[in-house]
Amino acid sequence: MRFEEVLELGLKFHGHKCPAMPLGLRAGLASIKALGVERSQDKELHVKAETGKGHAAGCFLDGIMIATGCTYGKSNIEKLYYNKMAFTLIDQKTGRAVRVSLKPDFFEKALASPFVQKRKAGIPPQNIEPEVTDPLVGRILGLADEAFLDVGPVHTVEVKKGKGVFTAKRCASCGELTFVNKLRETESGDLVCIPCSGYEG
Ligand SMILES: [Zn+2]
Ligand SMILES: [Zn+2]
């Protein structure tokens, strides 16, 4: 995909224009470039994101998902909830991995930007004037990678490989089709889904 296409897809998927999603896009593309791999069509790549929830600029992760093709639906992304603007991209075939993070100086300044001030004041991102958002996004798109990203050395990690489960059976209680690895057996020997079983996962 050309960068313009990735950006367009990102903006549509994300739902609003903000500086953090394009930062994630750029960071995701830099990680793919560092490993010399293609965007994940299935589960060729895996992302361990250090972002969390309830903090500014969490939109970063949507950009990473779009750029790397690692998505929650495919389960080849996980959040570590460290509340840090960093992630590691792993090539599942070779175990080659790279950690990419936002430079502290850059991110400190970004947190002082007029966009973040408005967010702090409770204005939803989609209601912030384009005069505030557009120049920030434009600047991010024009930055050299070295100006805002720390791309770590390519290293090797251990890759756990699991096979997908393709068999589903009906829950004896609610009748809904459930993949067998999450069906539980009751005392009478019936197979039921987690919500019907009365206990957690
Ligand atoms: Zn956003
Ligand atoms: Zn059920």
Side-chain angles (χ1 to χ4, degrees):
M1 267 196 280
R2 287 182 304 116
F3 181 74
E4 292 73 22
E5 284 177 282
V6 182
L7 179 63
E8 203 186 307
L9 182 63
L11 288 168
K12 275 191 190 149
F13 172 77
H14 186 51
H16 62 248
K17 196 171 184 181
C18 68
M21 191 283 291
L23 281 176
L25 271 187
R26 294 280 320 268
L29 292 173
S31 68
I32 277 186
K33 195 170 125 197
L35 290 187
V37 291
E38 296 284 326
R39 187 173 187 267
S40 200
Q41 296 184 52
D42 185 30
K43 299 180 185 179
E44 299 86 356
L45 303 175
H46 187 96
V47 162
K48 284 187 176 175
E50 297 181 29
T51 57
K53 62 179 176 184
H55 63 71
C59 301
F60 186 61
L61 192 51
D62 271 354
I64 293 168
M65 287 209 285
I66 292 291
T68 61
C70 295
T71 61
Y72 271 90
K74 288 187 284 190
S75 292
N76 56 342
I77 190 163
E78 59 192 303
K79 273 169 95 167
L80 300 172
Y81 296 97
Y82 296 165
N83 292 10
K84 295 174 76 170
M85 302 300 282
F87 68 99
T88 299
L89 180 73
I90 302 160
D91 178 354
Q92 292 291 96
K93 204 159 59 185
T94 60
R96 289 166 76 250
V98 67
R99 183 176 185 268
V100 175
S101 59
L102 291 186
K103 283 188 192 284
D105 286 352
F106 172 85
F107 192 50
E108 253 168 12
K109 279 188 201 127
L111 282 177
S113 76
F115 185 90
V116 178
Q117 300 314 308
K118 296 208 175 233
R119 292 289 296 118
K120 240 192 219 173
I123 303 173
Q126 65 272 24
N127 293 351
I128 295 175
E129 307 85 331
E131 299 80 65
V132 172
T133 311
D134 290 355
L136 292 170
V137 172
R139 194 175 151 254
I140 287 161
L141 299 180
L143 283 173
D145 283 357
E146 313 79 72
F148 71 110
L149 292 176
D150 277 327
V151 179
V154 173
H155 57 285
T156 307
V157 297
E158 208 184 312
V159 174
K160 286 193 206 95
K161 279 180 186 139
K163 271 198 182 153
V165 171
F166 293 91
T167 310
K169 286 184 179 167
R170 288 183 190 224
C171 165
S173 178
C174 69
E176 292 188 349
L177 215 52
T178 308
F179 287 96
V180 292
N181 50 342
K182 282 282 173 170
L183 281 170
R184 295 290 175 263
E185 200 175 331
T186 63
E187 279 175 17
S188 53
D190 288 329
L191 290 175
V192 294
C193 72
I194 298 290
C196 291
S197 72
Y199 54 78
E200 299 288 306

